[in-house]
Amino acid sequence: MAIAFLGSPPFAVESLRALLEAGADVALVVTQPDKPAGRGNQLKAPAVKEFALAHGLRVEQPWKVRDGTLAGWLRGLDLAVVAAYGRILVPEVLAAPRLGCVNVHASLLPRWRGASPIARSIAAGDRETGVCLMQMDAGLDTGPELARVVVPIADDDTTPTLEAKLAAAGGALVAGALPDLLAGRLTPVPQPQAGVTLAPLLSKADAVIDWRRPARELHAHIRAMTPWPTATTQVPEPAEVWKVFADDLAVGSHAGEPGRILALDGDAAWVACGDGSLRITRLQRPDKRAMTAGEVLRGARLGVGDRLG
């Protein structure tokens, strides 16, 4: 049975890889157009395109999904598997394959519907997440569930490390479910109405650290903002915005005014939070390279008793 695969970033590559290794007949790969990247603004292909071309697959990169072209490509195929494609599919597209479209979504639905479920789950302090395989409908990740796998969130997980775990889990899930899916042996289960949360795209506004929050929450926040948009804190003197990285973060019991630098531990700094304290090891000032917290503080002539935020 011929299937199409729709996906773009590295997360989606693992699902495509798993389908090929399972012997699926991937007749078509659809991905986002190449986009400018880097200082030279040279066009860069999506990770899925590079992988698909290396395996001799047909690749299409439509600019529009509403003009009937994509639906036309999918008609006559048995199934479309979607994993982080990055575009909203209209009903005409969803109905084009014989068995419709299924989505590999990186959360335990209905929690974290939307574009940034991985970072949002870390930032919220969730202890576990997972991957759901669902039958797509016209809503935002609202379709009935076909299968799922649970993935624990480690205390030191950042968005990239958790994404890698979920990508592998998603690939195994869709490849394992494919025979039953194509044979019609999977029963779609409607999502519950309770427990719905949304995971909108991250923005730079999400990155700002509020030192009044508990240290454990900020530990999760900084890890979730890695690698983009990267957690930030304002510094009153000098008036700058610094990036705060997730390297070797630790939670402590020191108490003090939120944002106040309480102690230096080698080249790390303990900063007071609303409850407890946070050990920061790496910072970056504007137009400078990232350095140890101690190096950055010395360069800015700040130390114990000074305040961030």
Side-chain angles (χ1 to χ4, degrees):
M1 294 187 180
I3 69 173
F5 182 84
L6 287 73
S8 300
F11 172 85
V13 169
E14 295 309 310
S15 289
L16 179 55
R17 186 197 312 275
L19 288 171
L20 294 178
E21 291 177 351
D25 177 13
V26 181
L28 170 66
V29 173
V30 180
T31 188
Q32 293 266 25
D34 297 0
K35 295 180 180 178
R39 292 187 176 181
N41 278 331
Q42 294 184 344
L43 289 178
K44 180 174 177 56
V48 163
K49 177 184 178 180
E50 294 180 344
F51 179 86
L53 291 178
H55 288 77
L57 301 176
R58 173 191 168 193
V59 176
E60 299 288 353
Q61 297 174 275
W63 286 99
K64 299 180 179 179
V65 298
R66 299 174 180 268
D67 62 0
T69 302
L70 177 55
W73 291 335
L74 298 182
R75 290 192 189 99
L77 300 181
D78 293 288
L79 177 72
V81 176
V82 183
Y85 174 46
R87 304 286 289 275
I88 296 176
L89 302 182
V90 296
E92 181 187 16
V93 172
L94 296 174
R98 181 177 63 86
L99 296 171
C101 301
V102 298
N103 184 37
V104 183
H105 183 76
S107 81
L108 297 176
L109 294 168
R111 187 162 176 79
W112 303 126
R113 294 174 178 171
S116 300
I118 301 174
R120 298 291 181 184
S121 66
I122 297 174
D126 292 356
R127 302 310 303 168
E128 64 180 21
T129 182
V131 181
C132 281
L133 182 65
M134 68 170 186
Q135 189 79 43
M136 297 181 70
D137 60 17
L140 178 64
D141 299 325
T142 56
E145 182 181 315
L146 298 164
R148 69 165 48 195
V149 62
V150 176
V151 175
I153 300 177
D155 290 338
D156 60 351
D157 265 330
T158 60
T159 297
T161 63
L162 183 56
E163 180 177 306
K165 297 175 185 178
L166 292 169
L173 180 68
V174 69
L178 189 64
D180 288 336
L181 184 62
L182 293 174
R185 292 191 292 264
L186 291 181
T187 301
V189 178
Q191 293 184 35
Q193 297 299 313
V196 174
T197 55
L198 299 181
L201 277 171
L202 295 177
S203 69
K204 290 185 178 180
D206 291 310
V208 178
I209 295 172
D210 181 353
W211 294 105
R212 295 170 297 182
R213 295 174 61 189
R216 292 195 179 279
E217 290 185 8
L218 292 181
H219 190 285
H221 172 84
I222 295 170
R223 291 185 288 116
M225 296 301 114
T226 302
W228 195 90
T230 307
T232 60
T233 185
Q234 293 182 339
V235 181
E237 293 291 339
E240 294 178 343
V241 175
W242 292 2
K243 291 183 177 180
V244 181
F245 297 93
D247 307 50
D248 298 320
L249 286 174
V251 173
S253 58
H254 310 76
E257 180 188 7
R260 192 73 66 186
I261 301 171
L262 299 175
L264 297 179
D265 179 7
D267 268 336
W270 285 97
V271 182
C273 305
D275 179 18
S277 57
L278 201 60
R279 182 177 182 266
I280 303 297
T281 65
R282 196 159 70 101
L283 298 167
Q284 185 176 9
R285 297 178 69 182
D287 301 319
K288 305 288 185 180
R289 64 182 179 88
M291 296 185 288
T292 67
E295 291 173 318
V296 172
L297 291 172
R298 287 191 293 271
R301 298 183 178 179
L302 295 178
V304 175
D306 290 310
R307 189 171 179 273
L308 306 178

